[in-house]
Amino acid sequence: PALPPCGMLAGVLRLATAVLLIARADALGNACTLDADCKLTCADGLPMAFGAAVDLSGFTAHHNAEGYYTAVDTEPGDTYYVLACGPITSVSCADAPEGTPAALTSFAGGAGMPPHMETDCASCGEYRNQSCRVDVAEATITCGYPGGHPGQRSLEVRYVCGKAYTLPTAQQVDVGGKRIDHTITFRGPAACPIGGGAPGGEDVEGLSLGATLLLILLGGTAAYLGVGYAYNRNARGVSGVDALPHIDFWQELPSRAAEGCARAAREVREVLRAWRRPEGVTEPLAPAVQPA
């Protein structure tokens, strides 16, 4: 039987290539930077699920009246001061006068309040050490800031997809008495894939990889039928069912498939017969002389 038209084979190859590209695209987003305007850029490219750009400025529109976020730690009495994006500059800590902190924390019983804390405060992480990544499966953007002081401190700021904006939460972990790891979590629509990164953070649900592939398949099928129908009608002067692209192939496909299955079955039977013949015999044996 004749092979399918070259155009059909090319279409299958293009679809397979698209699937591979999507799988690769969702592995991107591991070398990213979040600027003070809440724009996320990635040196290795953004995952396809997040579209062409990620804008987290929706979080900045939901901060406290003081101009910064205040988060209470799981450690009773400890308080954090942080911006959604960019270094914290509206609050200072006398115990950490050097560098540019990504966030500051005030310990329980600390002297003084913002904007100028005197003692019992610390920089959670150094802003210039920022390193961000995108996790498509968890719908989360994470930025790390090592180099906090005094002491060995690091900060991880997580932006998690959510249907509504909530005040950030904070926690800290003392790692073997050697360093303290701080985590601040923002939750809201601006961190959601597909559309959630628009300014203002519209609440748009993300699409799964399976849904994306289905949309690509449906879109490709519609384009194939539409373009093929228009071409056949205008260039060949046919209409109706006859104008569908490769109509002869599709009409003959069931019989071709049945014929291919029958041919494959015959070839398998022939291979099995040849495997059972004694060495040197090329013709089929009579039933009485078939080897055991």
Side-chain angles (χ1 to χ4, degrees), residues 124-217:
C124 301
E126 180 60 35
Y127 181 75
R128 65 169 178 248
N129 297 334
Q130 181 198 80
S131 176
C132 302
R133 65 185 185 276
V134 180
D135 188 332
V136 176
E138 299 293 332
T140 301
I141 299 168
T142 303
C143 293
Y145 303 90
H149 57 279
Q152 298 293 321
R153 300 175 181 271
S154 67
L155 170 67
E156 188 174 83
V157 181
R158 304 176 71 244
Y159 305 88
V160 181
C161 176
K163 291 186 177 181
Y165 289 101
T166 59
L167 291 177
T169 59
Q171 64 178 3
Q172 60 176 288
V173 177
D174 189 337
V175 183
K178 296 181 179 180
R179 74 173 194 273
I180 297 178
D181 293 340
H182 303 275
T183 302
I184 298 177
T185 302
F186 290 86
R187 190 178 300 273
C192 294
I194 304 297
E202 294 83 353
D203 187 3
V204 180
E205 295 292 337
L207 295 178
S208 66
L209 178 59
T212 302
L213 289 176
L214 180 60
L215 289 177
I216 291 176
L217 178 60

Side-chain angles (χ1 to χ4, degrees), residues 21-86:
L21 288 175
I22 290 174
R24 178 181 179 274
D26 282 330
L28 302 178
N30 292 309
C32 306
T33 301
L34 181 65
D35 63 24
D37 294 324
C38 293
K39 302 297 191 299
L40 184 76
T41 56
C42 299
D44 58 347
L46 283 170
M48 184 174 293
F50 280 83
V54 173
D55 184 351
L56 300 179
S57 61
F59 289 107
T60 65
H62 294 78
H63 58 63
N64 292 345
E66 292 85 353
Y68 51 81
Y69 280 102
T70 302
V72 178
D73 195 354
T74 51
E75 190 76 18
D78 288 7
T79 306
Y80 289 78
Y81 306 95
V82 60
L83 293 177
C85 309

